[in-house]
Amino acid sequence: MRIANLGGRAKLVVAPEAALDVESATGGRFGPSPQAVYDRWDDFVAFMGGGDALDGPTEPWSAERSGPPSPTPRQVFAVALNYRDHAAESGFEAPPSPLFFTKFVSAFSGPVSDVVLPDGKVDWETELVAVVGRAARRVDPTQAWSHVAGLTVGQDLSERVLQRRGPAPQYSLGKSHEGFAPQGPFLVTPDELAAPDDLAIGCELNGTPMQSARTSDMIFPVPDLISYLSQVVTLLPGDVIFTGTPPGVGMGRDPQVFLRPGDRLVSRIEGIGELHQTFLATGG
Ligand code: ZN
């Protein structure tokens, strides 16, 4: 299944430009919001029986008009230094256990957006994003995928000056400017992917490849992150997990590259889709 968010309503994307409204097509059983679907994820999957259960008139769908697949999570987690070569380019050793911060939810946006550049040095971090379906509390890694509703593409846009200000890093604030968490184009359920742990991931800046890796390069893959988090917190339906970025960010380059007004960034993950961001000057 491909679940999108159009105007705050859950849509099942059934063709490249066509979707069904979940509430209408299920006779009011599920939805109308994406969060309402995640809150009853197991029931929804059972009802759908693999995606063929819905019928009815389709409506136009486009990434441009879509919001983030999980727009109102109660918790947002992001992982630092989860790819060995990204840790190295950042000047750190690979961590012995996952490092978490948050992106505040007011930074969320849909997959196609304009982002106003704040003062400082704004960088890109293309990331696989996992959305929680069934709640998870102290789950084993072998069971963790069953708690994931699906995967989407995320950009962990990061302003490096604020991120590194002070005696200890404050990742969360420097990564939460308005528009700094685009996600989409929709949520893809893991059963749609032949190998959900091994997807090509990358981005292009003004047509030039900047990141190119595979999600199988993660130090802590999705099941390990879910299991590790769930030893401490209860993961709730709709919770969003940014799983870390591969190498090739602007800060790690020589010379360093940061986003400038007019830049166009395309981020993509195999089997899921693309994000398109255009960057604007402050006040522009
Ligand atoms: Zn990141």
Side-chain angles (χ1 to χ4, degrees), residues 78-80 86 101 125 127 156 158 175 242 244-245:
V79 187
H86 173 61
F101 57 94
E125 297 193 354
E127 307 199 3
D156 176 18
S158 304
K175 291 163 171 274
F242 280 74
T245 198

Side-chain angles (χ1 to χ4, degrees), residues 69 81 93 125 198 258 263 273 275:
L81 310 177
E93 303 271 322
E125 297 193 354
D198 182 23
F258 297 107
D263 279 351
L275 306 178

Side-chain angles (χ1 to χ4, degrees), residues 23-222:
E23 186 190 36
S24 303
T26 62
R29 288 180 181 83
F30 298 97
S33 69
Q35 180 63 48
V37 174
Y38 303 133
D39 280 338
R40 297 180 54 217
W41 184 249
D42 284 342
D43 291 345
F44 180 66
V45 170
F47 178 81
M48 294 298 292
D52 300 326
L54 296 193
D55 211 356
T58 61
E59 58 187 85
W61 175 82
S62 71
E64 287 77 6
R65 294 186 298 127
S66 292
S70 182
T72 52
R74 283 164 285 197
Q75 304 179 100
V76 181
F77 304 91
V79 187
L81 310 177
N82 198 22
Y83 289 75
R84 216 164 288 279
D85 291 345
H86 173 61
E89 74 179 352
S90 304
F92 293 102
E93 303 271 322
S97 55
L99 299 169
F100 289 98
F101 57 94
T102 193
K103 287 175 81 75
F104 297 108
V105 78
S106 62
F108 276 30
S109 83
V112 182
S113 63
D114 291 341
V115 181
V116 175
L117 290 166
D119 288 342
K121 298 175 177 176
V122 179
D123 203 347
W124 57 86
E125 297 193 354
T126 312
E127 307 199 3
L128 180 73
V129 167
V131 173
V132 175
R134 187 191 317 155
R137 177 76 182 156
R138 295 202 178 101
V139 298
D140 188 82
T142 60
Q143 300 301 312
W145 270 117
S146 70
H147 295 267
V148 176
L151 303 172
T152 194
V153 187
Q155 254 298 338
D156 176 18
L157 293 169
S158 304
E159 198 283 289
R160 302 301 189 190
V161 177
L162 179 56
Q163 176 185 329
R164 298 183 145 200
R165 183 178 295 159
Q170 47 178 337
Y171 285 3
S172 302
L173 208 52
K175 291 163 171 274
S176 293
H177 283 281
E178 185 174 12
F180 268 31
Q183 294 156 72
F186 34 57
L187 193 81
V188 177
T189 52
D191 60 288
E192 298 275 350
L193 302 162
D197 281 307
D198 182 23
L199 305 170
I201 179 171
C203 71
E204 294 170 6
L205 179 62
N206 303 323
T208 302
M210 288 291 176
Q211 294 186 288
S212 180
R214 301 198 70 84
T215 60
S216 52
D217 296 336
M218 286 183 195
I219 299 170
F220 305 103
V222 170

Side-chain angles (χ1 to χ4, degrees), residues 235-278:
L235 292 172
L236 302 168
D239 282 0
V240 166
I241 305 171
F242 280 74
T243 61
T245 198
V249 301
M251 180 180 63
R253 293 174 173 271
D254 185 16
Q256 292 183 327
V257 179
F258 297 107
L259 292 165
R260 294 177 300 192
D263 279 351
R264 292 173 184 274
L265 183 68
V266 178
S267 316
R268 70 171 65 87
I269 297 178
E270 175 186 12
I272 303 175
E274 294 181 347
L275 306 178
H276 293 257
Q277 270 60 56
T278 301

Side-chain angles (χ1 to χ4, degrees), residues 8-21:
R9 295 183 68 89
K11 306 288 179 179
L12 195 70
V13 179
V14 292
E17 295 183 346
L20 288 163
D21 182 81

